[in-house]
Amino acid sequence: MDKASYDKRIKNYVENVIVNNKTSISAASASIIGTLVGYPFDSIKTRMQTYNYGKMRNCIKLTYRSEGLRGFYRGVGPPLITISIVKSISYSIYDRTKEFVDRYIDPTSLYGLTISSSIAGVTSGYLSAVISCPLELIKMQRQIEQLLVRQSSITASINEETAKQAAKTAAKQAAKTVAKQSTSNTVKESAQQTAKSVTTQTTKTVVKNTNGIRGLYRGFMFQGLRDAFGTGVYFCAYEISKKLLTIGDRESNHVTHFFAGGIAGIASWIGIFPIDLVKSKLQIDAKSKHKMYKNQLQCIKYIYKTSGVRGFYQGISSCLIRAFPVHALNFVVYEHALRLCKKLADKKESEID
């Protein structure tokens, strides 16, 4: 076989792989870009759900002060791979489930599109949670690894920021001075413990400190519920928004995908945030040797008792700020990559004809 024939054979093989896996490849491409853009916001959301920073500005300031830019991207490596895999599986399940449901209803009508996208989204979300639950647990605990071993320092720093703001508002310079002095002593003591306490074997720690492999699925009930409901709302909101924003029988464009994706991201997170909060607290609690919550109900009761209904939306501001641009970009990349793959498929078919 000469070089030209070999190169042509390899090219045909690669093109066949792309055409046959267009949904997975498009989803993976969108996932990588979305993760890089949205990860700092996700990290801030996790921190605000775990500790009461008061304001998102305080969380950003204290994270940068103690960990630098690296703190916002702590644990980003594995998600670049794992989220891409999960997204590929999720979108593939959604695509195939929707194709199946579309056989029995009219997907061109708004009602039919709502039903098919919702059913496909719920199915995709729940099945994907089986894979994503352990991965998200490890990701979250890597994000707050520094926080858990420096809890006293973090708490003191938060108190300092609160005291500073109170001092500015009330013009009480004495309160500001006391906050600084008390914080500096605490930070110095805890800083020496930090270097010795930080672990890089997060997975082993979770398995060891909980019920073996079952520990990796701590909070799965809420993650399964969150992902099923959230993915259903997500895809349904996207499909409906895309249909309503598309004029007549024209093909949807990047602007349509951008706004439809942003709307889908916000709609999904508003609906599932309380569930996500409980899941996050349960998964963070899995790393601690001294468990705060015996079960999900105890966690819910504790949040409501300490913070009321508002407590279930702690940290939602960073999530919503992240939601629109990240999910808008996600669908722009996804649809564009999918369109390129379909063009390649059409080209191959025309060559055969």
Side-chain angles (χ1 to χ4, degrees):
M1 182 184 295
D2 58 11
K3 188 176 184 300
S5 300
Y6 177 77
D7 289 343
K8 185 177 180 180
R9 188 173 180 179
I10 293 296
K11 181 183 177 182
N12 287 333
Y13 175 77
V14 172
E15 288 178 349
N16 287 331
V17 170
I18 293 173
V19 170
N20 294 331
N21 300 277
K22 56 182 180 291
T23 301
S24 299
I25 292 172
S26 302
S29 302
S31 175
I32 291 171
I33 294 175
T35 300
L36 290 174
V37 173
Y39 197 84
F41 295 99
D42 189 51
S43 182
I44 292 168
K45 181 206 70 165
T46 300
R47 291 165 185 262
M48 290 192 70
Q49 287 180 337
T50 309
Y51 291 93
N52 185 18
Y53 285 91
K55 295 181 179 179
M56 185 172 65
R57 180 178 60 188
N58 294 344
C59 179
I60 296 171
K61 187 187 295 185
L62 293 173
T63 301
Y64 181 75
R65 181 190 298 173
S66 59
E67 302 176 53
L69 288 174
R70 188 178 179 181
F72 296 102
Y73 281 95
R74 180 167 299 281
V76 71
L80 281 176
I81 300 172
T82 56
I83 293 178
S84 297
I85 295 172
V86 172
K87 276 282 184 73
S88 298
I89 294 172
S90 175
Y91 276 64
S92 296
I93 294 173
Y94 171 79
D95 195 45
R96 294 187 180 185
T97 305
K98 189 173 181 298
E99 285 181 3
F100 176 78
V101 177
D102 285 346
R103 297 175 189 172
Y104 303 96
I105 59 175
D106 179 17
T108 59
S109 68
L110 200 61
Y111 173 77
L113 184 61
T114 302
I115 296 298
S116 65
S117 59
S118 297
I119 292 175
V122 168
T123 304
S124 170
Y126 190 80
L127 293 178
S128 299
V130 176
I131 303 170
S132 64
C133 185
L135 302 177
E136 187 156 340
L137 172 60
I138 301 305
K139 180 199 76 173
M140 288 179 57
Q141 295 193 350
R142 282 288 294 148
Q143 285 177 342
I144 67 156
E145 194 173 58
Q146 292 283 356
L147 297 181
L148 290 172
V149 297
R150 297 171 63 251
Q151 185 165 359
S152 60
S153 174
I154 294 294
T155 304
S157 298
I158 293 172
N159 291 338
E160 180 193 16
E161 289 298 321
T162 305
K164 281 181 180 180
Q165 292 174 7
K168 288 178 182 179
T169 304
K172 293 180 180 180
Q173 188 63 34
K176 183 178 179 181
T177 305
V178 171
K180 284 184 176 179
Q181 292 175 347
S182 62
T183 302
S184 61
N185 294 332
T186 309
V187 170
K188 287 179 182 178
E189 292 174 2
S190 60
Q192 296 175 355
Q193 300 173 356
T194 302
K196 300 179 182 179
S197 303
V198 175
T199 176
T200 58
Q201 299 179 338
T202 308
T203 307
K204 291 181 180 179
T205 303
V206 175
V207 174
K208 182 179 178 181
N209 291 345
T210 54
N211 301 323
I213 298 299
R214 289 178 61 189
L216 294 172
Y217 282 89
R218 183 174 174 84
F220 174 74
M221 187 184 84
F222 276 86
Q223 175 144 352
L225 178 62
R226 183 202 73 170
D227 287 359
F229 177 70
T231 309
V233 172
Y234 184 62
F235 280 113
C236 180
Y238 176 73
E239 296 286 5
I240 292 174
S241 298
K242 185 171 75 169
K243 184 176 179 64
L244 293 175
L245 291 171
T246 303
I247 302 173
D249 296 328
R250 294 180 184 178
E251 188 176 18
S252 57
N253 55 34
H254 291 332
V255 175
T256 300
H257 302 152
F258 182 85
F259 283 103
I263 292 169
I266 289 178
S268 175
W269 273 111
I270 289 176
I272 67 170
F273 196 84
I275 304 173
D276 182 71
L277 178 75
V278 175
K279 175 199 71 73
S280 298
K281 288 187 176 293
L282 287 170
Q283 290 184 326
I284 297 305
D285 194 46
K287 189 177 177 69
S288 176
K289 291 183 179 179
H290 306 288
K291 303 292 182 294
M292 288 183 63
Y293 315 114
K294 293 180 180 179
N295 50 47
Q296 293 91 342
L297 184 60
Q298 186 181 15
C299 180
I300 294 171
K301 286 181 178 179
Y302 180 81
I303 295 170
Y304 184 76
K305 183 179 179 181
T306 55
S307 306
V309 175
R310 189 176 181 180
F312 290 98
Y313 286 91
Q314 179 181 325
I316 194 173
S317 56
S318 64
C319 192
L320 293 182
I321 291 172
R322 166 189 181 274
F324 191 96
V326 169
H327 291 287
L329 182 63
N330 176 78
F331 273 108
V332 168
V333 175
Y334 172 75
E335 293 280 8
H336 183 69
L338 192 63
R339 192 168 292 177
L340 292 176
C341 291
K342 287 179 178 178
K343 283 183 179 179
L344 180 61
D346 293 339
K347 180 183 175 182
K348 288 185 71 65
E349 286 180 6
S350 63
E351 288 177 353
I352 294 172
D353 295 338

